[in-house]
Amino acid sequence: MAADRDTILSWLADLAAAIVTDAEDAADLGVRIDAARTVDAATFASEALSMMRVIAESVDAPADFDRIAAPAATGQTLDAVNIMLGMALAVAGCRPDWPSRPSARRARSRVSLAGDVAIAAVDQLGGEGADLYAWLSSVTSVSCRVISDLAADAAPVVKVETGVSLPSTVLAYQLYGDANRASGLIDIAGSATPLVMPTLFDALAS
């Protein structure tokens, strides 16, 4: 039983709509997704990976990286999804400007795990998947090293305890001398109430 094309193409279309901002790339992906419905199996596999790479290379922010997640799938469709996901995360993980060391390390862990799952899926292809196995192993390894370098350059996270709830803009000014950094403070703290921040939260050290 072959991978379900509708599942894969719908997944690609959803990711493209959420992540790809370049108008020409978005239009081209739309045409390619439609055309992929009628090509032979080998061409479909190659084209699906190629389209996923375009999407991954369009990632600019951590939120885009987080959007790359697998759809519900089973059997050979799940194997195909896992291979595409491993490749996409390896490519995408090197692109954002990770705001903190913990966020970069979480991304690296996700890339590493997805890479292991993808490589295991490729291994089931035997000799036919030898080139893909070698390439995917390499790109996952390189991505993890690059993200490690990014993590080393990112700001560390510290615990902040205020004793009283304050607005995020006030805290951003007190911590960094810049109230405009309030949105970043909210993201790191994971707060849903920017006007009344928790009294104990994580924040960038600088």
Side-chain angles (χ1 to χ4, degrees), residues 31-52:
V31 172
R32 292 172 67 183
I33 287 170
D34 287 339
R37 300 182 187 281
T38 57
V39 299
D40 61 76
T43 302
F44 178 81
S46 176
E47 184 68 352
L49 281 170
S50 176
M51 288 189 286
M52 181 60 91

Side-chain angles (χ1 to χ4, degrees), residues 77-150:
T77 304
L78 179 59
D79 289 339
V81 164
N82 284 335
I83 292 168
M84 294 170 65
L85 182 65
M87 182 272 290
L89 291 178
V91 173
C94 303
R95 296 186 56 80
D97 182 12
W98 296 104
S100 68
R101 291 176 188 172
S103 64
R105 289 169 182 157
R106 284 192 296 271
R108 181 183 60 197
S109 294
R110 191 174 176 219
V111 168
S112 179
L113 177 59
D116 288 344
V117 173
I119 290 166
V122 174
D123 192 41
Q124 298 179 45
L125 300 176
E128 293 182 1
D131 289 343
L132 180 58
Y133 184 99
W135 180 81
L136 193 54
S137 297
S138 176
V139 75
T140 300
S141 177
V142 170
S143 179
C144 287
R145 288 200 301 271
V146 170
I147 298 172
S148 292
D149 291 341
L150 294 173

Side-chain angles (χ1 to χ4, degrees), residues 125-197:
L125 300 176
E128 293 182 1
D131 289 343
L132 180 58
Y133 184 99
W135 180 81
L136 193 54
S137 297
S138 176
V139 75
T140 300
S141 177
V142 170
S143 179
C144 287
R145 288 200 301 271
V146 170
I147 298 172
S148 292
D149 291 341
L150 294 173
D153 293 335
V157 168
V158 296
K159 288 287 185 183
V160 176
E161 186 171 4
T162 61
V164 60
S165 296
L166 295 169
S168 58
T169 50
V170 173
L171 289 169
Y173 185 79
Q174 290 181 344
L175 290 170
Y176 312 119
D178 184 0
N180 291 324
R181 292 185 61 180
S183 60
L185 186 66
I186 294 165
D187 290 341
I188 297 295
S191 175
T193 54
L195 291 178
V196 186
M197 292 285 284

Side-chain angles (χ1 to χ4, degrees), residues 19-38:
I19 295 172
V20 179
T21 56
D22 182 87
E24 290 186 10
D25 284 345
D28 182 60
L29 282 170
V31 172
R32 292 172 67 183
I33 287 170
D34 287 339
R37 300 182 187 281
T38 57

